[in-house]
């Protein structure tokens, strides 16, 4: 059987603008916004691909979901090298190819993957130490000490690069639009923040090299707690410090005069219950003020995406009272949760994990509505006090 050639290209200003304009009758004004100064247009909602069983039926459902989302005005697709024991990548790739064959160009899609958590392809190994030796240490993808004891996570430049290339290959694309280092804070309790940052700088170097040779466009950090906790918390991660690491990595790759790094995207949980990204002022921006993570990201030129938009499905069943009242015209809690998130100032794209194409209906229905007015959104917090 002949191997299918990878799809060339990456998201471009023209490609995403044409995509948005072609769907002007299906989605409301305000559904697309610019990826900072790149002028790439990204949808306010994106499909995540974490949930679902590791089986062929789910593979097919994920592929259909991705293809239908791309056809319906959702051009941000998020996955990870370890999702569904490594099966998510190929399923997403099948959906990308379906959409591409249906006339949606690669230049209209913004494709994101992640690395760090171990890719146990085929399921968890019966002998973890032997697996680590055979899959990581012997192939030169990292050392045993690069792996967190309590969490199956490897923070080495070689393993992150391996997962970047695994993502590209299984998704069937030459270039990824973004690659996220996923939750490196899990190493902090074991080796300390200083050593984690030293490792991150080396990881950022391989990602800058990947940008230089055309395998990647941008990179960033995905966290669970790092951006939400107080500044003095052990797991806190500073956007300003991360940009500093990216500048050093860029200089190591491109020379001491080049600080134009490609750390452009960050992800964090955000929803009606997990509000810290908007309400907790924990980030020093270096511009004389302390800001929330969403405010700081805007000031520092980092595009923010949210995970856990539906709080693992809980917010598809019930909304916070003030949100129910403010968005009473929407027919169900899932649509209210999506509308709440995409209306949050400073939040670019809200990701929703799904493995059933039927769940797309709520996402597309919300995309057809304009986001809440800023004053209306801020009023939710005044009412809650």
């Amino acid at each position: 059987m002949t191997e299918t050639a990878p799809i060339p290209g990456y998201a471009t200003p023209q490609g995403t603008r044409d995509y948005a304009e072609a769907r002007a009758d299906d989605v409301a004004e305000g559904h697309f916004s610019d990826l900072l100064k790149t002028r790439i247009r990204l949808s306010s909602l994106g499909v995540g691909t974490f949930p679902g069983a590791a089986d062929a039926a789910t593979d097919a459902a994920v592929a259909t979901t991705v293809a239908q989302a791309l056809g319906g005005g959702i051009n941000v697709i998020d996955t990870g090298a370890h999702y569904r024991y490594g099966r998510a990548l190929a399923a997403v790739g099948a959906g990308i190819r379906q959409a591409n064959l249906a006339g949606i160009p690669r230049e209209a899609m913004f494709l994101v993957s992640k690395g760090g958590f171990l890719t146990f392809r085929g399921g968890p190994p019966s002998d973890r130490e032997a697996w680590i030796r055979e899959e990581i240490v012997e192939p030169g993808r990292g050392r045993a000490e690069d792996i967190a004891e309590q969490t199956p996570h490897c923070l080495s430049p070689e393993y992150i690069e391996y997962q970047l290339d695994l993502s590209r290959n299984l998704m069937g694309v030459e270039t990824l639009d973004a690659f996220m280092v996923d939750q490196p804070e899990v190493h902090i309790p074991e080796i300390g923040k200083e050593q984690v940052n030293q490792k991150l700088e080396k990881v950022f170097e391989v990602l800058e090299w990947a940008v230089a040779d055309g395998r990647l466009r941008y990179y960033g950090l995905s966290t669970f707690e790092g951006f939400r906790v107080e500044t003095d918390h052990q797991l806190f991660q500073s956007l300003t410090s991360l940009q500093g690491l990216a500048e050093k990595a860029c200089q190591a790759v491109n020379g001491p005069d080049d600080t134009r790094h490609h750390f452009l995207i960050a992800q964090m949980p955000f929803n009606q219950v997990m509000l810290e990204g908007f309400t907790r002022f924990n980030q020093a921006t270096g511009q004389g003020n302390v800001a929330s993570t969403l405010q700081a990201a805007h000031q520092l030129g980092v595009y923010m995406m949210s995970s856990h938009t539906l709080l693992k499905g809980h917010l598809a069943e019930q909304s916070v009272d003030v949100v129910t009242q403010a968005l009473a015209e929407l027919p169900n809690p899932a649509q209210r949760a999506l509308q709440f998130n995409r209306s949050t100032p400073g939040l670019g794209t809200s990701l929703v994990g799904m493995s059933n194409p039927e769940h797309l209906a709520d996402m597309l229905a919300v995309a057809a509505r304009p986001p809440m007015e800023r004053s209306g959104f801020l009023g939710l917090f005044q009412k809650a006090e």
Side-chain angles (χ1 to χ4, degrees), residues 307-348:
S307 60
H308 295 75
T309 298
L310 294 181
L311 194 60
K312 296 188 175 180
H314 295 295
L315 293 175
E317 303 296 331
Q318 183 178 5
S319 303
V320 173
D321 287 346
V322 68
V323 173
T324 300
Q325 295 166 11
L327 299 175
E329 74 279 8
L330 294 178
N332 59 52
Q335 290 192 25
R336 295 182 196 117
L338 298 177
Q339 181 70 330
F340 174 86
N341 260 42
R342 72 195 284 261
S343 302
T344 306
L347 183 56

Coordinates of all heavy atoms in Angstrom, one line a residue, residues 307-348:
S307 N -8.7 25.5 28.2 CA -9.1 24.1 28.3 C -10.2 24.0 29.3 O -10.6 25.0 30.0 CB -7.9 23.2 28.6 OG -7.4 23.6 29.9
H308 N -10.8 22.8 29.4 CA -11.8 22.5 30.5 C -13.0 23.5 30.4 O -13.6 23.9 31.4 CB -11.2 22.6 31.9 CG -10.2 21.5 32.1 ND1 -8.9 21.6 31.6 CD2 -10.3 20.4 32.8 CE1 -8.3 20.5 32.0 NE2 -9.1 19.8 32.7
T309 N -13.3 23.9 29.1 CA -14.4 24.9 28.9 C -15.8 24.3 29.5 O -16.6 25.1 30.1 CB -14.6 25.2 27.4 OG1 -13.4 25.8 27.0 CG2 -15.8 26.1 27.2
L310 N -16.0 23.0 29.4 CA -17.2 22.4 30.0 C -16.9 21.7 31.3 O -17.8 20.9 31.8 CB -17.8 21.4 29.0 CG -18.4 22.1 27.7 CD1 -19.0 21.0 26.8 CD2 -19.4 23.1 28.0
L311 N -15.7 21.8 31.9 CA -15.4 21.2 33.2 C -15.7 19.7 33.1 O -16.4 19.2 33.9 CB -16.1 21.9 34.3 CG -15.7 21.6 35.7 CD1 -14.2 22.0 35.9 CD2 -16.6 22.3 36.8
K312 N -15.1 19.0 32.1 CA -15.2 17.6 31.9 C -16.7 17.2 31.8 O -17.1 16.1 32.3 CB -14.5 16.8 33.0 CG -13.0 17.0 33.0 CD -12.3 16.1 34.0 CE -10.8 16.3 33.9 NZ -10.1 15.4 34.8
G313 N -17.5 18.0 31.2 CA -18.9 17.7 31.0 C -19.9 18.3 32.0 O -21.1 18.3 31.8
H314 N -19.4 18.7 33.2 CA -20.3 19.1 34.3 C -21.1 20.3 33.9 O -22.2 20.5 34.2 CB -19.5 19.4 35.5 CG -18.9 18.1 36.1 ND1 -19.6 17.1 36.6 CD2 -17.6 17.8 36.3 CE1 -18.8 16.1 37.1 NE2 -17.5 16.5 36.9
L315 N -20.4 21.3 33.1 CA -21.1 22.5 32.7 C -22.0 22.3 31.5 O -22.6 23.3 31.1 CB -20.1 23.6 32.5 CG -19.3 24.1 33.8 CD1 -18.2 25.1 33.5 CD2 -20.3 24.6 34.8
A316 N -22.0 21.1 31.0 CA -23.0 20.8 29.9 C -24.3 20.4 30.6 O -25.3 20.3 29.9 CB -22.5 19.7 29.1
E317 N -24.3 20.1 31.9 CA -25.5 19.7 32.6 C -26.1 20.8 33.5 O -27.3 20.9 33.7 CB -25.1 18.5 33.5 CG -24.5 17.3 32.8 CD -25.5 16.7 31.8 OE1 -26.7 16.8 32.1 OE2 -25.0 16.1 30.8
Q318 N -25.2 21.8 33.9 CA -25.7 22.8 34.8 C -24.8 24.0 34.7 O -23.6 23.9 34.7 CB -25.7 22.3 36.3 CG -26.3 23.3 37.3 CD -26.3 22.7 38.7 OE1 -25.8 21.6 38.9 NE2 -26.9 23.4 39.6
S319 N -25.5 25.2 34.7 CA -24.7 26.5 34.7 C -24.7 27.1 36.1 O -25.6 26.9 36.9 CB -25.4 27.4 33.7 OG -25.4 26.9 32.4
V320 N -23.8 28.0 36.3 CA -23.8 28.8 37.5 C -25.0 29.7 37.4 O -25.4 30.2 36.3 CB -22.5 29.7 37.6 CG1 -22.6 30.7 38.7 CG2 -21.3 28.7 37.8
D321 N -25.7 30.0 38.5 CA -27.0 30.7 38.5 C -26.9 32.0 37.7 O -27.8 32.3 36.9 CB -27.4 31.0 39.9 CG -27.9 29.8 40.6 OD1 -28.1 28.7 39.9 OD2 -28.1 29.8 41.8
V322 N -25.9 32.8 37.9 CA -25.8 34.2 37.3 C -25.7 34.0 35.8 O -26.2 34.8 35.0 CB -24.7 35.0 37.9 CG1 -23.3 34.4 37.5 CG2 -24.8 36.5 37.4
V323 N -25.0 32.9 35.3 CA -24.9 32.7 33.9 C -26.2 32.2 33.3 O -26.6 32.6 32.2 CB -23.8 31.7 33.6 CG1 -23.7 31.2 32.2 CG2 -22.4 32.2 34.1
T324 N -26.9 31.4 34.0 CA -28.2 30.9 33.6 C -29.2 32.1 33.4 O -29.9 32.2 32.4 CB -28.8 30.0 34.6 OG1 -28.0 28.8 34.8 CG2 -30.2 29.5 34.2
Q325 N -29.1 33.0 34.3 CA -30.0 34.2 34.2 C -29.6 35.1 33.0 O -30.5 35.6 32.3 CB -30.0 35.0 35.5 CG -30.5 34.2 36.7 CD -30.2 34.9 38.0 OE1 -29.6 36.0 38.1 NE2 -30.4 34.2 39.1
A326 N -28.3 35.4 32.9 CA -27.9 36.3 31.9 C -28.0 35.7 30.5 O -28.2 36.5 29.5 CB -26.4 36.6 32.1
L327 N -27.9 34.4 30.3 CA -28.0 33.7 29.0 C -29.2 32.8 28.9 O -29.2 31.8 28.3 CB -26.7 33.0 28.8 CG -25.4 33.8 28.7 CD1 -24.2 32.9 28.6 CD2 -25.4 34.8 27.6
A328 N -30.3 33.3 29.5 CA -31.5 32.5 29.5 C -32.1 32.2 28.1 O -32.8 31.2 28.0 CB -32.6 33.2 30.3
E329 N -31.7 33.0 27.1 CA -32.2 32.7 25.8 C -31.6 31.5 25.1 O -32.1 31.0 24.1 CB -32.0 34.0 24.9 CG -30.6 34.2 24.4 CD -29.7 34.9 25.5 OE1 -30.2 35.1 26.6 OE2 -28.6 35.3 25.1
L330 N -30.4 31.1 25.7 CA -29.8 29.9 25.1 C -30.5 28.6 25.7 O -30.8 28.6 26.8 CB -28.3 29.9 25.4 CG -27.5 31.1 24.8 CD1 -26.1 31.0 25.2 CD2 -27.6 31.0 23.3
P331 N -30.6 27.6 24.8 CA -31.5 26.5 25.2 C -30.9 25.5 26.2 O -31.7 24.7 26.7 CB -31.7 25.8 23.8 CG -30.5 26.1 23.0 CD -30.1 27.5 23.4
N332 N -29.6 25.5 26.5 CA -29.0 24.5 27.4 C -27.8 25.0 28.0 O -27.1 26.0 27.6 CB -28.8 23.2 26.7 CG -27.9 23.3 25.5 OD1 -26.8 23.8 25.6 ND2 -28.3 22.8 24.3
P333 N -27.3 24.3 29.1 CA -26.1 24.8 29.8 C -24.9 24.7 29.0 O -24.0 25.5 29.2 CB -26.1 23.8 31.0 CG -27.5 23.3 31.3 CD -28.1 23.3 29.9
A334 N -24.8 23.7 28.1 CA -23.6 23.6 27.2 C -23.4 24.9 26.4 O -22.3 25.4 26.3 CB -23.7 22.4 26.3
Q335 N -24.4 25.3 25.8 CA -24.3 26.6 25.0 C -24.0 27.8 25.8 O -23.2 28.7 25.4 CB -25.6 26.8 24.2 CG -25.8 25.8 23.1 CD -26.9 26.2 22.1 OE1 -27.2 27.4 21.9 NE2 -27.4 25.2 21.4
R336 N -24.6 27.8 27.1 CA -24.2 28.9 28.0 C -22.8 28.9 28.4 O -22.1 30.0 28.4 CB -25.1 28.9 29.2 CG -26.6 29.1 28.9 CD -27.5 29.1 30.2 NE -28.9 28.9 29.8 CZ -29.6 27.8 30.1 NH1 -29.1 26.9 30.9 NH2 -30.9 27.7 29.7
A337 N -22.2 27.7 28.6 CA -20.8 27.6 29.0 C -19.9 28.1 27.8 O -18.9 28.8 28.1 CB -20.5 26.1 29.3
L338 N -20.3 27.7 26.6 CA -19.5 28.1 25.5 C -19.5 29.6 25.3 O -18.5 30.3 25.0 CB -19.9 27.4 24.2 CG -19.8 25.8 24.2 CD1 -20.4 25.3 22.9 CD2 -18.4 25.4 24.3
Q339 N -20.7 30.1 25.4 CA -20.9 31.6 25.2 C -20.2 32.4 26.3 O -19.6 33.4 26.0 CB -22.4 31.9 25.1 CG -22.7 33.4 24.9 CD -22.4 33.9 23.5 OE1 -21.5 33.4 22.9 NE2 -23.1 34.9 23.0
F340 N -20.3 31.9 27.5 CA -19.6 32.6 28.6 C -18.1 32.6 28.3 O -17.4 33.7 28.4 CB -19.8 31.8 29.9 CG -19.0 32.3 31.1 CD1 -19.5 33.4 31.8 CD2 -17.8 31.8 31.4 CE1 -18.7 33.9 32.9 CE2 -17.0 32.3 32.5 CZ -17.5 33.4 33.2
N341 N -17.5 31.5 28.0 CA -16.0 31.5 27.7 C -15.6 32.4 26.6 O -14.6 33.1 26.7 CB -15.6 30.0 27.5 CG -15.0 29.4 28.7 OD1 -15.5 29.6 29.8 ND2 -13.9 28.7 28.6
R342 N -16.3 32.2 25.4 CA -15.8 32.9 24.2 C -16.1 34.5 24.4 O -15.5 35.2 23.6 CB -16.5 32.4 23.0 CG -18.0 32.8 22.9 CD -18.7 31.9 21.9 NE -18.4 32.3 20.5 CZ -19.2 33.1 19.8 NH1 -20.4 33.6 20.3 NH2 -18.9 33.3 18.5
S343 N -16.8 34.9 25.4 CA -17.1 36.3 25.6 C -16.1 36.9 26.6 O -16.1 38.1 26.8 CB -18.5 36.5 26.1 OG -19.5 36.0 25.2
T344 N -15.2 36.1 27.2 CA -14.3 36.6 28.2 C -13.2 37.5 27.5 O -12.5 37.0 26.6 CB -13.6 35.4 28.9 OG1 -14.6 34.5 29.4 CG2 -12.7 35.9 30.0
P345 N -13.0 38.7 28.0 CA -12.0 39.6 27.4 C -10.6 38.9 27.6 O -10.3 38.5 28.7 CB -12.1 40.8 28.3 CG -13.6 40.9 28.7 CD -13.9 39.4 29.0
G346 N -9.8 38.9 26.6 CA -8.5 38.4 26.6 C -8.4 36.9 26.3 O -7.2 36.4 26.1
L347 N -9.5 36.2 26.2 CA -9.4 34.8 25.9 C -9.7 34.6 24.4 O -10.7 35.0 23.9 CB -10.5 34.0 26.7 CG -10.5 32.5 26.6 CD1 -9.2 31.9 26.8 CD2 -11.6 31.9 27.5
G348 N -8.7 34.0 23.7 CA -8.8 34.0 22.2 C -9.7 32.8 21.7 O -10.6 33.0 20.9

